[in-house]
């Protein structure tokens, strides 16, 4: 997925499996307030700070323990405005 640098904060929907109400979405390793939608979907917000520079953000899900674990990350590209 791709977003534009300098954009307003935008919602982020994460699809997967095995999610619970205690799972958290992380952006570059930092937890975000996470809304549990279902066992296959979580929602979080990309902040203005996430979108200040072009580059790549790592989006992952932290699962509660024991044992606590983090999913593989998915890359979100922040591109320069056209």
């Amino acid at each position: 997925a791709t977003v534009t640098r300098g954009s307003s904060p935008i919602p982020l929907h994460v699809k997967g499996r095995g999610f619970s109400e205690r799972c958290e979405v992380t952006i570059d390793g930092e937890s975000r307030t996470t809304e549990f939608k279902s066992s296959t979907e979580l929602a979080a917000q990309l902040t203005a700070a996430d979108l200040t520079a072009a580059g790549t953000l790592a989006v992952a899900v932290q699962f509660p323990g024991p044992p606590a674990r983090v999913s593989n990350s998915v890359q979100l590209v922040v591109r320069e405005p056209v």
Side-chain angles (χ1 to χ4, degrees), residues 1-70:
T2 304
V3 294
T4 302
R5 182 185 61 76
S7 297
S8 299
I10 58 173
L12 178 68
H13 294 268
V14 178
K15 306 264 183 172
R17 64 175 190 224
F19 298 149
S20 74
E21 293 181 359
R22 294 178 40 215
C23 289
E24 291 184 337
V25 173
T26 64
I27 308 293
D28 284 345
E30 295 194 23
S31 294
R32 295 292 188 265
T33 300
T34 302
E35 180 182 356
F36 175 77
K37 297 281 195 175
S38 71
S39 64
T40 59
E41 183 179 0
L42 300 172
Q45 188 86 0
L46 285 173
T47 66
D50 293 326
L51 304 173
T52 57
T56 304
L57 302 173
V59 179
V61 174
Q62 183 160 346
F63 290 82
R69 62 187 176 88
V70 177

